[in-house]
Amino acid sequence: MPQLDGIETCRRMRERHSVPILFLSAKSEELDKLEGLEVGGDDYMTKPFSNMELISKVKALIRRYRVYDSGSANRTNKDESIETDGLKLFTNRNKVEFNDNEIKLTGKEYEILKLLMKNPDRIYTIEMIYEMVWDEAFTYNAKNTVMVHIKNLRNKLIKACGDACIHTEWGRGYRFER
């Protein structure tokens, strides 16, 4: 990219938009992938890749975007939400607030928080989170993807409301508690 690299482009897009972002890159080092996901990318594919895999991932990202986007045609007039101690997640749009102040989350962060908040105190394994949020079969390589998204989500929650709310159950998984 002539003016900006993909990382900076993603960072700037996340300041204003919650559209799906899929990195396509020749950079295949784990740190490159983690950086792409940490700045707000929803997925990361390295070259070479198959066209079928690319099409499948794009379709999955678009499908989830349509379901969780605030402008979705599936949105009802009723603004349904899950709320606990000032943390409010709107279930039919990609929006989270703490004491009426919006917390900017990526699509994946929103989906993870929604999953965990719907069933507080239930423990979800990394495999369960990946398969339910990404809507794909879990592979060992996906473990870091989930962990990076949870780390970023926790940091944003701590910054906004002083509590990450997502607790690690060592050797078991993650759960939401407020």
Side-chain angles (χ1 to χ4, degrees):
M1 296 175 52
Q3 301 291 326
L4 299 172
D5 66 0
I7 299 298
E8 185 59 29
T9 300
C10 181
R11 189 176 285 125
R12 289 184 184 186
M13 285 181 67
R14 283 292 174 236
E15 290 174 2
R16 296 188 186 108
H17 307 288
S18 63
V19 297
I21 297 174
L22 171 63
F23 277 89
L24 300 175
S25 178
K27 294 182 177 182
S28 60
E29 295 294 319
E30 183 177 20
L31 290 176
D32 296 320
K33 294 175 185 179
L34 293 176
E35 184 179 19
L37 296 172
E38 284 181 5
V39 297
D42 294 299
D43 207 340
Y44 194 106
M45 290 180 65
T46 58
K47 298 175 185 175
F49 51 82
S50 78
N51 290 339
M52 296 303 287
E53 182 182 9
L54 174 62
I55 291 168
S56 181
K57 286 186 181 245
V58 168
K59 284 181 179 179
L61 287 171
I62 291 170
R63 181 177 59 249
R64 284 189 296 276
Y65 177 73
R66 285 182 179 155
V67 170
Y68 294 112
D69 177 48
S70 61
S72 172
N74 296 332
R75 190 173 133 190
T76 63
N77 290 334
K78 188 175 179 187
D79 216 4
E80 297 176 11
S81 64
I82 303 168
E83 186 170 4
T84 177
D85 295 333
L87 183 64
K88 187 173 188 177
L89 181 139
F90 296 89
T91 57
N92 46 354
R93 53 192 175 117
N94 188 352
K95 186 174 182 180
V96 177
E97 295 177 347
F98 179 71
N99 291 339
D100 297 323
N101 295 314
E102 186 172 358
I103 303 171
K104 297 284 187 187
L105 301 179
T106 67
K108 295 296 185 206
E109 292 165 352
Y110 171 83
E111 291 180 53
I112 291 169
L113 183 60
K114 181 177 178 180
L115 173 68
L116 297 175
M117 283 184 76
K118 278 187 171 183
N119 297 293
D121 296 320
R122 176 178 174 188
I123 298 170
Y124 288 89
T125 64
I126 289 174
E127 293 85 358
M128 291 167 68
I129 293 170
Y130 185 82
E131 289 183 353
M132 295 171 93
V133 171
W134 275 260
D135 195 26
E136 297 174 8
F138 178 79
T139 62
Y140 181 75
N141 295 337
K143 183 177 181 179
N144 284 338
T145 300
V146 173
M147 291 170 40
V148 167
H149 279 82
I150 296 237
K151 175 187 156 231
N152 292 338
L153 177 56
R154 280 179 166 156
N155 289 339
K156 289 177 182 181
L157 290 172
I158 288 171
K159 185 177 177 183
C161 54
D163 185 7
C165 315
I166 299 171
H167 299 273
T168 302
E169 295 293 329
W170 294 105
R172 298 175 67 198
Y174 300 98
R175 66 181 171 82
F176 179 86
E177 179 185 297
R178 184 91 174 121

